[in-house]
């Protein structure tokens, strides 16, 4: 018999398509990653990320207010640290008057309802560009975790709502939870980068913060593959996410985004906490470059990718498109 069920009946026009649409996007689905620089009235575009800037704290605050007015409710913040403040201990990371701590206080003072999630990792503070302390030619796990606890507590003291460890050290979520609780910050959450892959998609981000691994006069790893995940692995990602939840993570993250949606769905089906997906700098840069050449329709491909990330199971999407997408959605 010729089909009684015709799928096209539900695709006849936009009104019908919107009635049966399974996934929707809103500005509150987005978190905006922001880069913060020293000084005042500083706004420097990142060449490999058109439309994304390193801003001084005063201009960051103004941007945060605009984001909030658009309906965006979370920012993930990173700092560009002066070279003279970098060493192998990362001690500037827990300076109570450091750039990150000043930025958190300023944002929360100007826009108290904005959720601030500062990055917790030592690479912006490291003379070697690694996420931890170098010892005997590798990133030493446990001493790095001790440093991360000091860093996270200093963020909480400055007013952070969540801390966002992106380092991929073993056991760090448990130690962060213990450290935050011991300091009286039981209500400060942890959004853990649980499945962070050793990806080539991070290049523009490392340009923004000068956080790529560097050659040195001592033996250091040439890349971050001894702690970030092998992109050939799937089951390992599930194990990492489950471990972080058991250690106290309130949210877990998959990074990068669009090429890892199978991992997002696996983790979403496994854990019972919100799942964040980071649509990273390389993914952003590729869309910008292709659309500038007329090879792709910028807004259409932007919204398609964001919708696909949400469809895969993301509760929150960290994306450099957050502001552009929110403006489009609000129209």
């Amino acid at each position: 018999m010729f089909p009684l069920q015709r799928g096209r009946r539900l695709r006849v026009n936009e009104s019908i398509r919107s009635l049966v649409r399974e996934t929707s996007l809103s500005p509150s689905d987005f978190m905006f990653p922001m880069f913060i620089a020293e000084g005042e009235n500083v706004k420097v575009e990142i060449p490999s990320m058109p439309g994304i800037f390193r801003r001084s704290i005063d201009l960051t605050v103004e941007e945060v207010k605009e984001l909030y007015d658009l309906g965006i409710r979370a920012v993930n913040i990173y700092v560009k640290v002066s070279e003279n403040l970098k060493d192998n201990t990362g001690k500037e990371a827990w300076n109570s008057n450091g750039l990150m701590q000043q930025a958190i206080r300023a944002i929360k003072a100007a826009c108290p309802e904005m959720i601030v999630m500062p990055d917790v990792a030592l690479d912006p503070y490291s003379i070697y560009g690694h996420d931890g302390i170098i010892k005997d030619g590798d990133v030493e796990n446990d001493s790095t975790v001790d440093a991360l606890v000091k860093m996270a507590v200093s963020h909480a003291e400055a007013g952070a709502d969540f801390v966002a460890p992106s380092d991929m050290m073993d056991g760090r979520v448990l130690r962060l939870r213990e450290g935050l609780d011991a300091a009286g910050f039981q209500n400060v959450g942890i959004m853990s980068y649980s499945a962070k892959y050793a990806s080539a998609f991070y290049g523009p981000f490392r340009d923004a913060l000068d956080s790529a691994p560097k050659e040195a006069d001592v033996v250091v790893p040439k890349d971050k593959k001894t702690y970030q995940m092998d992109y050939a692995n799937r089951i390992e990602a599930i194990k990492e996410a489950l471990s972080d939840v058991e250690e106290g993570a309130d949210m877990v993250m998959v990074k990068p985004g669009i090429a890892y949606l199978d991992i997002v769905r696996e983790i979403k089906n496994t854990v019972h906490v919100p799942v964040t997906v980071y649509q990273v700098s390389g993914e952003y840069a590729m869309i910008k470059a292709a659309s500038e050449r007329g090879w792709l329709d910028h807004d259409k491909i932007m919204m398609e990718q964001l919708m696909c990330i949400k469809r895969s199971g993301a509760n929150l999407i960290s994306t450099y498109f957050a502001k552009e997408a929110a403006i489009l959605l609000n129209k």
Side-chain angles (χ1 to χ4, degrees):
M1 184 180 294
F2 205 67
L4 297 177
Q5 288 291 337
R6 290 178 180 266
R8 291 183 59 186
R9 293 186 191 120
L10 301 180
R11 305 176 199 141
V12 168
N13 56 48
E14 177 56 25
S15 294
I16 293 175
R17 292 192 295 270
S18 67
L19 286 175
V20 299
R21 189 164 290 141
E22 300 172 30
T23 307
S24 62
L25 280 172
S26 74
S28 62
D29 291 323
F30 305 139
M31 174 164 62
F32 191 46
M34 305 187 76
F35 301 113
I36 300 169
E38 296 278 6
E40 293 184 9
N41 200 33
V42 173
K43 183 179 178 182
V44 179
E45 188 171 33
I46 300 161
S48 53
M49 299 176 69
I52 301 298
F53 299 85
R54 286 192 293 264
R55 291 180 171 86
S56 52
I57 291 175
D58 53 333
L59 299 187
T60 297
V61 166
E62 295 306 310
E63 181 76 352
V64 167
K65 291 177 182 177
E66 289 186 33
L67 295 171
Y68 192 83
D69 288 343
L70 288 169
I72 295 166
R73 294 294 179 260
V75 292
N76 189 201
I77 58 176
Y78 305 85
V79 291
K80 175 73 167 65
V81 179
S82 299
E83 288 298 317
N84 65 306
L85 297 176
K86 297 182 180 183
D87 62 14
N88 188 38
T89 71
K91 63 181 182 296
E92 178 62 19
W94 55 89
N95 177 0
S96 61
N97 200 39
L99 182 60
M100 178 69 87
Q101 290 77 1
Q102 291 182 51
I104 295 167
R105 287 193 291 267
I107 292 170
K108 293 302 291 185
C111 192
E113 297 303 312
M114 180 64 85
I115 302 301
V116 178
M117 300 191 189
D119 179 58
V120 176
L122 296 186
D123 49 330
Y125 302 89
S126 169
I127 53 173
Y128 303 123
H130 275 285
D131 290 46
I133 296 168
I134 298 295
K135 182 179 179 181
D136 298 328
D138 198 7
V139 174
E140 209 285 316
N141 193 93
D142 295 2
S143 61
T144 295
V145 170
D146 292 340
L148 298 176
V149 172
K150 296 176 188 177
M151 186 180 185
V153 169
S154 76
H155 293 174
E157 290 172 343
D161 300 282
F162 283 75
V163 294
S166 64
D167 57 288
M168 289 298 288
M169 298 297 111
D170 292 332
R172 91 275 208 210
V173 173
L174 177 60
R175 290 290 178 257
L176 289 174
R177 187 69 272 157
E178 292 173 340
L180 290 167
D181 289 356
F185 296 108
Q186 291 87 353
N187 289 331
V188 172
I190 298 174
M191 181 190 70
S192 176
Y193 289 58
S194 298
K196 181 179 180 181
Y197 285 86
S199 171
F201 282 109
Y202 305 151
F205 176 95
R206 291 174 181 169
D207 291 342
L209 293 185
D210 188 26
S211 61
K214 299 175 176 63
E215 293 184 2
D217 54 2
V218 299
V219 177
V220 298
K222 65 179 181 179
D223 53 37
K224 302 190 178 187
K225 292 181 179 179
T226 66
Y227 46 100
Q228 294 178 359
M229 286 179 49
D230 183 342
Y231 56 70
N233 293 354
R234 177 181 61 87
I235 294 171
E236 184 184 10
I238 300 170
K239 183 184 77 171
E240 290 283 356
L242 285 171
S243 176
D244 284 357
V245 172
E246 289 171 2
E247 291 182 13
D250 301 283
M251 291 191 269
V252 296
M253 177 186 276
V254 177
K255 180 181 180 183
I258 203 70
Y260 293 79
L261 298 189
D262 60 321
I263 306 300
V264 178
R265 175 44 59 184
E266 292 270 16
I267 289 177
K268 180 67 173 178
N269 288 344
T270 303
V271 302
H272 300 289
V273 299
V275 176
T276 303
V277 176
Y278 200 149
Q279 186 188 34
V280 297
S281 59
E283 297 172 276
Y284 174 87
M286 288 193 300
I287 292 176
K288 288 293 182 183
S291 61
E292 284 175 2
R293 287 158 177 77
W295 297 342
L296 292 174
D297 183 304
H298 178 278
D299 289 353
K300 288 181 179 178
I301 197 68
M302 171 181 73
M303 298 308 293
E304 180 178 343
Q305 286 206 4
L306 292 171
M307 187 70 79
C308 291
I309 293 171
K310 179 78 179 294
R311 187 197 66 215
S312 72
N315 299 97
L316 180 64
I317 305 170
S318 184
T319 174
Y320 301 98
F321 287 116
K323 186 176 182 180
E324 291 175 277
I327 290 170
L328 203 59
L329 288 168
N330 287 334
K331 287 181 179 178

